[in-house]
Amino acid sequence: MYTANNGEGPPETLVAYASRRIQTAIAQGEYAPGSRLSPRTIAKALGISHIPVREALASLAARGYVDHLRANGYFTTNLTQGDLEDIYHWRRILEREAYLMAVPKLTEDDVSKMRALLDEMGKKTAPEDRLRYLELNRQFHFVAFERTGSTRLLHFLNYLWDAREPYAAVGLVDSTTGYKDHFRLMPHFEQRNAQGVIEAMEGHREFLVKRRAAVSEGDQPEESGEYLKKV
């Protein structure tokens, strides 16, 4: 069963529609971390049956985007500092190896694709485009990761990127700042400078972890992008 998609691209299923709307609501702060997600309430707001909403929530739970507690229902993920640090710890280890393997193998077509994705990211920095920006950001990095040629490594990286989506969606770093950071990162890919990419990304991840801690404490860390000026 399908629903129209505002004339942009192919029609999407009702499950995909519900999933997209729920993600957007979470990204835009309509649900605080730990909020209960009632399938019937969401279905009524969307004007559809609760069945595709339940399927959408189950899919989001499988990706770690929402929590499913047996007998209690679905809740937005509680974004803990410890969980974020764990995700980025393993991303640092695996992405270092991925960039060492992949960056020297990037083709001119790969670099052109990354430039085009970066251009699109620059056009999607408004808060209402947050999810689209995150999709483009993920595509940008996975152009490189695909060059590793390892399906197992890609599987692990996809798992970790799925796990960090709720943190990214709530905007620990706004899209405009994120775009500027990636603009500074692009020359390292163009020069096939794997070590430069690794150092910049380690600074990027470290900033995000510190940003999460600062937000929790009601404080502000240093301006994002400073780490890229140092590499």
Side-chain angles (χ1 to χ4, degrees):
M1 193 171 188
Y2 294 87
T3 182
N5 192 18
N6 299 323
E8 299 179 2
E12 59 186 350
T13 66
L14 286 175
V15 174
Y17 170 71
S19 179
R20 177 171 59 82
R21 290 292 299 273
I22 293 167
Q23 286 180 270
T24 299
I26 294 172
Q28 294 180 349
E30 295 180 26
Y31 297 105
S35 297
R36 189 172 187 277
L37 299 169
S38 166
R40 292 190 180 278
T41 301
I42 294 171
K44 184 177 180 180
L46 298 181
I48 61 177
S49 164
H50 67 90
I51 296 175
V53 173
R54 288 186 182 278
E55 291 183 29
L57 287 169
S59 176
L60 291 171
R63 291 168 49 197
Y65 208 97
V66 301
D67 294 329
H68 183 209
L69 305 180
R70 291 184 181 276
N72 287 317
Y74 294 94
F75 298 81
T76 53
T77 301
N78 269 313
L79 310 179
T80 70
Q81 180 70 13
D83 286 340
L84 185 62
E85 289 177 357
D86 186 54
I87 291 166
Y88 278 102
H89 169 76
W90 293 110
R91 271 191 59 184
R92 179 177 61 82
I93 292 172
L94 293 180
E95 288 184 11
R96 176 182 176 83
E97 293 304 312
Y99 286 128
L100 286 173
M101 294 168 64
V103 172
K105 299 178 184 177
L106 290 174
T107 66
E108 282 303 316
D109 284 345
D110 293 332
V111 172
S112 294
K113 188 181 296 184
M114 294 176 79
R115 289 194 194 103
L117 288 166
L118 186 60
D119 287 344
E120 281 299 304
M121 287 165 65
K123 299 173 185 176
K124 298 294 181 181
T125 57
E128 61 268 22
D129 293 323
R130 180 65 178 170
L131 290 182
R132 179 57 181 156
Y133 175 87
L134 293 174
E135 289 174 4
L136 293 166
N137 174 52
R138 184 167 180 154
Q139 291 173 31
F140 175 89
H141 288 281
F142 273 78
V143 170
F145 294 152
E146 290 282 349
R147 282 294 166 195
T148 65
S150 171
T151 56
R152 291 180 177 83
L153 180 53
L154 287 172
H155 172 78
F156 291 131
L157 289 173
N158 271 298
Y159 168 77
L160 291 170
W161 277 67
D162 283 344
R164 55 79 82 169
E165 274 194 6
Y167 300 88
V170 298
L172 294 179
V173 176
D174 66 89
S175 299
T176 298
T177 300
Y179 167 72
K180 291 177 181 178
D181 292 349
H182 283 75
F183 186 84
R184 298 185 186 101
L185 178 63
M186 189 67 219
H188 294 303
F189 286 109
E190 293 171 335
Q191 297 161 14
R192 310 321 192 257
N193 180 3
Q195 193 58 41
V197 171
I198 290 166
E199 291 176 7
M201 287 304 301
E202 286 186 351
H204 182 64
R205 288 187 292 268
E206 181 181 355
F207 172 81
L208 290 175
V209 171
K210 288 181 178 179
R211 172 66 177 168
R212 173 64 176 81
V215 168
S216 297
E217 297 170 3
D219 198 0
Q220 294 292 328
E222 68 174 285
E223 181 71 16
S224 177
E226 290 301 311
Y227 54 86
L228 283 177
K229 297 175 184 176
K230 303 170 187 173
V231 298

PDB file of all heavy atoms in Angstrom, residues 1-6 8-21:
ATOM      1  N   MET A   1       0.841  -1.190   0.000  1.00  0.00           N
ATOM      2  CA  MET A   1       0.000   0.000   0.000  1.00  0.00           C
ATOM      3  C   MET A   1       0.878   1.242   0.000  1.00  0.00           C
ATOM      4  O   MET A   1       1.897   1.300   0.693  1.00  0.00           O
ATOM      5  CB  MET A   1      -0.905   0.012   1.236  1.00  0.00           C
ATOM      6  CG  MET A   1      -2.017   1.009   1.190  1.00  0.00           C
ATOM      7  SD  MET A   1      -3.158   0.726   2.575  1.00  0.00           S
ATOM      8  CE  MET A   1      -4.464   1.849   2.123  1.00  0.00           C
ATOM      9  N   TYR A   2       0.511   2.241  -0.799  1.00  0.00           N
ATOM     10  CA  TYR A   2       1.371   3.389  -0.984  1.00  0.00           C
ATOM     11  C   TYR A   2       0.661   4.685  -0.643  1.00  0.00           C
ATOM     12  O   TYR A   2      -0.561   4.771  -0.610  1.00  0.00           O
ATOM     13  CB  TYR A   2       1.867   3.466  -2.441  1.00  0.00           C
ATOM     14  CG  TYR A   2       2.772   2.326  -2.807  1.00  0.00           C
ATOM     15  CD1 TYR A   2       2.254   1.116  -3.281  1.00  0.00           C
ATOM     16  CD2 TYR A   2       4.145   2.435  -2.654  1.00  0.00           C
ATOM     17  CE1 TYR A   2       3.096   0.059  -3.599  1.00  0.00           C
ATOM     18  CE2 TYR A   2       4.995   1.385  -2.976  1.00  0.00           C
ATOM     19  CZ  TYR A   2       4.459   0.203  -3.450  1.00  0.00           C
ATOM     20  OH  TYR A   2       5.286  -0.832  -3.766  1.00  0.00           O
ATOM     21  N   THR A   3       1.466   5.704  -0.424  1.00  0.00           N
ATOM     22  CA  THR A   3       0.951   7.055  -0.219  1.00  0.00           C
ATOM     23  C   THR A   3       1.759   8.009  -1.077  1.00  0.00           C
ATOM     24  O   THR A   3       2.924   7.733  -1.389  1.00  0.00           O
ATOM     25  CB  THR A   3       1.062   7.468   1.267  1.00  0.00           C
ATOM     26  OG1 THR A   3       0.498   8.771   1.412  1.00  0.00           O
ATOM     27  CG2 THR A   3       2.495   7.506   1.736  1.00  0.00           C
ATOM     28  N   ALA A   4       1.164   9.107  -1.467  1.00  0.00           N
ATOM     29  CA  ALA A   4       1.873  10.062  -2.307  1.00  0.00           C
ATOM     30  C   ALA A   4       3.028  10.684  -1.534  1.00  0.00           C
ATOM     31  O   ALA A   4       3.031  10.749  -0.318  1.00  0.00           O
ATOM     32  CB  ALA A   4       0.915  11.157  -2.781  1.00  0.00           C
ATOM     33  N   ASN A   5       4.020  11.192  -2.296  1.00  0.00           N
ATOM     34  CA  ASN A   5       5.206  11.763  -1.671  1.00  0.00           C
ATOM     35  C   ASN A   5       5.418  13.197  -2.140  1.00  0.00           C
ATOM     36  O   ASN A   5       6.517  13.586  -2.524  1.00  0.00           O
ATOM     37  CB  ASN A   5       6.440  10.901  -2.003  1.00  0.00           C
ATOM     38  CG  ASN A   5       7.632  11.268  -1.153  1.00  0.00           C
ATOM     39  OD1 ASN A   5       7.489  11.897  -0.129  1.00  0.00           O
ATOM     40  ND2 ASN A   5       8.816  10.874  -1.609  1.00  0.00           N
ATOM     41  N   ASN A   6       4.350  13.982  -2.142  1.00  0.00           N
ATOM     42  CA  ASN A   6       4.400  15.394  -2.513  1.00  0.00           C
ATOM     43  C   ASN A   6       4.989  15.624  -3.897  1.00  0.00           C
ATOM     44  O   ASN A   6       5.548  16.675  -4.185  1.00  0.00           O
ATOM     45  CB  ASN A   6       5.221  16.192  -1.495  1.00  0.00           C
ATOM     46  CG  ASN A   6       4.611  16.128  -0.117  1.00  0.00           C
ATOM     47  OD1 ASN A   6       3.397  16.132   0.029  1.00  0.00           O
ATOM     48  ND2 ASN A   6       5.454  16.061   0.908  1.00  0.00           N
ATOM     49  N   GLU A   8       7.591  14.419  -5.153  1.00  0.00           N
ATOM     50  CA  GLU A   8       9.043  14.352  -5.192  1.00  0.00           C
ATOM     51  C   GLU A   8       9.479  12.896  -5.115  1.00  0.00           C
ATOM     52  O   GLU A   8       9.387  12.268  -4.077  1.00  0.00           O
ATOM     53  CB  GLU A   8       9.642  15.144  -4.024  1.00  0.00           C
ATOM     54  CG  GLU A   8       9.287  16.621  -4.059  1.00  0.00           C
ATOM     55  CD  GLU A   8       9.889  17.360  -2.873  1.00  0.00           C
ATOM     56  OE1 GLU A   8      10.589  16.704  -2.086  1.00  0.00           O
ATOM     57  OE2 GLU A   8       9.659  18.565  -2.753  1.00  0.00           O
ATOM     58  N   GLY A   9       9.978  12.365  -6.226  1.00  0.00           N
ATOM     59  CA  GLY A   9      10.430  10.987  -6.237  1.00  0.00           C
ATOM     60  C   GLY A   9       9.265  10.019  -6.300  1.00  0.00           C
ATOM     61  O   GLY A   9       8.103  10.409  -6.427  1.00  0.00           O
ATOM     62  N   PRO A  10       9.569   8.713  -6.201  1.00  0.00           N
ATOM     63  CA  PRO A  10       8.528   7.690  -6.273  1.00  0.00           C
ATOM     64  C   PRO A  10       7.660   7.695  -5.041  1.00  0.00           C
ATOM     65  O   PRO A  10       8.062   8.200  -3.987  1.00  0.00           O
ATOM     66  CB  PRO A  10       9.337   6.381  -6.376  1.00  0.00           C
ATOM     67  CG  PRO A  10      10.621   6.698  -5.677  1.00  0.00           C
ATOM     68  CD  PRO A  10      10.909   8.143  -5.997  1.00  0.00           C
ATOM     69  N   PRO A  11       6.435   7.127  -5.144  1.00  0.00           N
ATOM     70  CA  PRO A  11       5.573   7.044  -3.959  1.00  0.00           C
ATOM     71  C   PRO A  11       6.216   6.135  -2.911  1.00  0.00           C
ATOM     72  O   PRO A  11       7.017   5.269  -3.227  1.00  0.00           O
ATOM     73  CB  PRO A  11       4.275   6.444  -4.506  1.00  0.00           C
ATOM     74  CG  PRO A  11       4.654   5.777  -5.777  1.00  0.00           C
ATOM     75  CD  PRO A  11       5.816   6.539  -6.335  1.00  0.00           C
ATOM     76  N   GLU A  12       5.879   6.364  -1.647  1.00  0.00           N
ATOM     77  CA  GLU A  12       6.439   5.555  -0.583  1.00  0.00           C
ATOM     78  C   GLU A  12       5.332   4.757   0.092  1.00  0.00           C
ATOM     79  O   GLU A  12       4.159   5.119   0.023  1.00  0.00           O
ATOM     80  CB  GLU A  12       7.156   6.445   0.448  1.00  0.00           C
ATOM     81  CG  GLU A  12       6.270   7.486   1.090  1.00  0.00           C
ATOM     82  CD  GLU A  12       7.049   8.437   1.981  1.00  0.00           C
ATOM     83  OE1 GLU A  12       8.238   8.181   2.254  1.00  0.00           O
ATOM     84  OE2 GLU A  12       6.462   9.437   2.428  1.00  0.00           O
ATOM     85  N   THR A  13       5.705   3.665   0.726  1.00  0.00           N
ATOM     86  CA  THR A  13       4.726   2.872   1.456  1.00  0.00           C
ATOM     87  C   THR A  13       4.258   3.649   2.679  1.00  0.00           C
ATOM     88  O   THR A  13       4.923   4.580   3.144  1.00  0.00           O
ATOM     89  CB  THR A  13       5.329   1.539   1.904  1.00  0.00           C
ATOM     90  OG1 THR A  13       6.360   1.792   2.871  1.00  0.00           O
ATOM     91  CG2 THR A  13       5.905   0.762   0.728  1.00  0.00           C
ATOM     92  N   LEU A  14       3.113   3.234   3.222  1.00  0.00           N
ATOM     93  CA  LEU A  14       2.618   3.873   4.431  1.00  0.00           C
ATOM     94  C   LEU A  14       3.578   3.659   5.596  1.00  0.00           C
ATOM     95  O   LEU A  14       3.721   4.532   6.459  1.00  0.00           O
ATOM     96  CB  LEU A  14       1.230   3.331   4.778  1.00  0.00           C
ATOM     97  CG  LEU A  14       0.078   3.824   3.895  1.00  0.00           C
ATOM     98  CD1 LEU A  14      -1.215   3.119   4.271  1.00  0.00           C
ATOM     99  CD2 LEU A  14      -0.093   5.338   4.009  1.00  0.00           C
ATOM    100  N   VAL A  15       4.241   2.514   5.615  1.00  0.00           N
ATOM    101  CA  VAL A  15       5.225   2.252   6.669  1.00  0.00           C
ATOM    102  C   VAL A  15       6.387   3.233   6.549  1.00  0.00           C
ATOM    103  O   VAL A  15       6.834   3.833   7.541  1.00  0.00           O
ATOM    104  CB  VAL A  15       5.732   0.801   6.609  1.00  0.00           C
ATOM    105  CG1 VAL A  15       6.873   0.585   7.617  1.00  0.00           C
ATOM    106  CG2 VAL A  15       4.601  -0.182   6.884  1.00  0.00           C
ATOM    107  N   ALA A  16       6.888   3.412   5.323  1.00  0.00           N
ATOM    108  CA  ALA A  16       7.982   4.359   5.100  1.00  0.00           C
ATOM    109  C   ALA A  16       7.553   5.780   5.426  1.00  0.00           C
ATOM    110  O   ALA A  16       8.316   6.561   6.003  1.00  0.00           O
ATOM    111  CB  ALA A  16       8.466   4.264   3.652  1.00  0.00           C
ATOM    112  N   TYR A  17       6.332   6.122   5.059  1.00  0.00           N
ATOM    113  CA  TYR A  17       5.788   7.451   5.352  1.00  0.00           C
ATOM    114  C   TYR A  17       5.732   7.690   6.867  1.00  0.00           C
ATOM    115  O   TYR A  17       6.179   8.729   7.361  1.00  0.00           O
ATOM    116  CB  TYR A  17       4.397   7.578   4.747  1.00  0.00           C
ATOM    117  CG  TYR A  17       3.618   8.798   5.168  1.00  0.00           C
ATOM    118  CD1 TYR A  17       3.980  10.065   4.717  1.00  0.00           C
ATOM    119  CD2 TYR A  17       2.519   8.685   6.018  1.00  0.00           C
ATOM    120  CE1 TYR A  17       3.255  11.194   5.110  1.00  0.00           C
ATOM    121  CE2 TYR A  17       1.797   9.806   6.412  1.00  0.00           C
ATOM    122  CZ  TYR A  17       2.161  11.052   5.956  1.00  0.00           C
ATOM    123  OH  TYR A  17       1.450  12.162   6.348  1.00  0.00           O
ATOM    124  N   ALA A  18       5.198   6.714   7.603  1.00  0.00           N
ATOM    125  CA  ALA A  18       5.101   6.843   9.053  1.00  0.00           C
ATOM    126  C   ALA A  18       6.486   6.937   9.683  1.00  0.00           C
ATOM    127  O   ALA A  18       6.720   7.751  10.583  1.00  0.00           O
ATOM    128  CB  ALA A  18       4.334   5.657   9.631  1.00  0.00           C
ATOM    129  N   SER A  19       7.414   6.109   9.200  1.00  0.00           N
ATOM    130  CA  SER A  19       8.767   6.122   9.726  1.00  0.00           C
ATOM    131  C   SER A  19       9.421   7.481   9.513  1.00  0.00           C
ATOM    132  O   SER A  19      10.035   8.042  10.433  1.00  0.00           O
ATOM    133  CB  SER A  19       9.597   5.028   9.049  1.00  0.00           C
ATOM    134  OG  SER A  19      10.924   5.031   9.526  1.00  0.00           O
ATOM    135  N   ARG A  20       9.260   8.023   8.313  1.00  0.00           N
ATOM    136  CA  ARG A  20       9.857   9.324   8.004  1.00  0.00           C
ATOM    137  C   ARG A  20       9.272  10.423   8.874  1.00  0.00           C
ATOM    138  O   ARG A  20       9.990  11.272   9.398  1.00  0.00           O
ATOM    139  CB  ARG A  20       9.657   9.649   6.522  1.00  0.00           C
ATOM    140  CG  ARG A  20      10.176  11.020   6.100  1.00  0.00           C
ATOM    141  CD  ARG A  20      10.136  11.188   4.594  1.00  0.00           C
ATOM    142  NE  ARG A  20       8.793  11.042   4.061  1.00  0.00           N
ATOM    143  CZ  ARG A  20       7.879  12.027   4.057  1.00  0.00           C
ATOM    144  NH1 ARG A  20       8.170  13.207   4.588  1.00  0.00           N
ATOM    145  NH2 ARG A  20       6.688  11.837   3.515  1.00  0.00           N
ATOM    146  N   ARG A  21       7.944  10.413   9.063  1.00  0.00           N
ATOM    147  CA  ARG A  21       7.306  11.449   9.865  1.00  0.00           C
ATOM    148  C   ARG A  21       7.704  11.350  11.339  1.00  0.00           C
ATOM    149  O   ARG A  21       7.888  12.365  12.013  1.00  0.00           O
ATOM    150  CB  ARG A  21       5.785  11.356   9.702  1.00  0.00           C
ATOM    151  CG  ARG A  21       5.269  11.760   8.326  1.00  0.00           C
ATOM    152  CD  ARG A  21       5.461  13.252   8.064  1.00  0.00           C
ATOM    153  NE  ARG A  21       4.739  14.061   9.042  1.00  0.00           N
ATOM    154  CZ  ARG A  21       3.458  14.422   8.907  1.00  0.00           C
ATOM    155  NH1 ARG A  21       2.772  14.061   7.823  1.00  0.00           N
ATOM    156  NH2 ARG A  21       2.879  15.167   9.830  1.00  0.00           N
TER     157      ARG A  21
END
